[in-house]
Amino acid sequence: FTYDNRTGLFKVLVNRKATDSEKTNAFVFNDDNIISSIVYNTTDIYSLFNFAEINFPNWDIRDESDYLFVETPTADKLSNEPVSKMGFSVSTVNTRPRAAQIANITLQQSRIGSVATFTGDHSTLQVDVGDYVKITDNAKGWTDRFFRVMRVVESEAVGDITCEFVCMEYEDTPFEDIIYYDALKQSAAPGLGTMSIL
C-alpha cells in the first residue's frame, strides 16, 4: 500500500507473479543511468525463515480462529540451517488451501530476500515502487537480472535530480500454483504438487 506522487492517490501493490509483458518491457538499469555503486545484500543463514505458522478464520469451523504450518522442504534448506519460524495472521481468507498458499509464498519470498541499493540519474524518475526492473552490471557479472522496486527516494543536489532505489530480487518460484490438502484436522499443509504436474 503506497502513495503515488504522480496521481496524488494511494494505490495497492499486489504481491503477484510478473507477467511476460512486464518482464519484456521492464526498465533496464545499467552504467548509463546508475551513478553509484550497487550495494547487494543477501540474507544470512541466521535470518532465513524455514517454517511458517499462519492464523486465519476457518470457514469449516464457522470462521473461528484456526492455524496451519508450512515448512521449507529439506532439500531447499542450507546445511546446518537453524530452525527459524515466522508467524502471521490473515483475516482476508477463510479456507485452508488459500491460507497455505499465502504462507508458502511469504515463506519462499523471505528466503530470496536479496536486496540491491543504488542511485539512478534523472532518467530513472519514471520508475516507481512496485515496478519490475532489470539490472545490468558488468562488474558483478549481471545481465538483465530481475528485481522489483521496493522503495524510491528522490533527492536534488546542485540542480541535479537523482533517485535512490531499493530493489528486491525477483523469482517466479514463490508463485508456483501448488495444490494443498484441505483436511480439517491436518495442521500441516503439505502440497500435492503444482498445477502443471497434476
Side-chain angles (χ1 to χ4, degrees), residues 21-191:
S21 174
E22 287 171 324
K23 290 179 182 179
T24 303
N25 300 317
F27 186 89
V28 178
F29 286 100
N30 53 34
D31 292 339
D32 294 335
N33 51 31
I34 296 177
I35 59 174
S36 71
S37 60
I38 299 174
V39 178
Y40 184 70
N41 297 313
T42 57
T43 308
D44 66 85
I45 191 170
Y46 296 104
S47 300
L48 291 173
F49 292 104
N50 47 38
F51 184 80
E53 178 182 353
I54 182 170
N55 180 271
F56 67 103
N58 192 337
W59 179 82
D60 289 325
I61 53 176
R62 298 183 183 180
D63 286 336
E64 289 185 26
S65 182
D66 196 3
Y67 64 92
L68 58 80
F69 303 100
V70 174
E71 186 176 357
T72 301
T74 304
D76 294 342
K77 295 179 187 176
L78 301 174
S79 59
N80 299 320
E81 182 179 328
V83 175
S84 181
K85 182 187 89 169
M86 69 162 51
F88 59 97
S89 298
V90 290
S91 58
T92 54
V93 298
N94 61 358
T95 61
R96 293 179 63 77
R98 287 184 181 161
Q101 188 78 327
I102 289 172
N104 184 56
I105 290 171
T106 306
L107 181 61
Q108 288 193 56
Q109 283 184 322
S110 75
R111 295 183 65 80
I112 298 170
S114 300
V115 175
T117 305
F118 56 90
T119 302
D121 65 15
H122 67 279
S123 67
T124 63
L125 281 168
Q126 61 186 294
V127 181
D128 205 358
V129 173
D131 289 353
Y132 297 95
V133 297
K134 297 174 185 174
I135 301 176
T136 295
D137 183 23
N138 296 329
K140 288 184 169 41
W142 294 357
T143 302
D144 290 345
R145 198 155 176 174
F146 212 55
F147 287 81
R148 189 169 193 195
V149 178
M150 303 308 289
R151 187 177 69 187
V152 180
V153 178
E154 296 177 14
S155 60
E156 184 177 354
V158 196
D160 191 19
I161 298 174
T162 61
C163 297
E164 181 181 307
F165 293 92
V166 176
C167 303
M168 185 168 67
E169 194 158 9
Y170 174 85
E171 288 184 20
D172 285 335
T173 50
F175 299 100
E176 288 177 351
D177 198 2
I178 298 174
I179 299 174
Y180 292 93
Y181 289 114
D182 190 11
L184 178 61
K185 296 181 180 178
Q186 189 172 337
S187 61

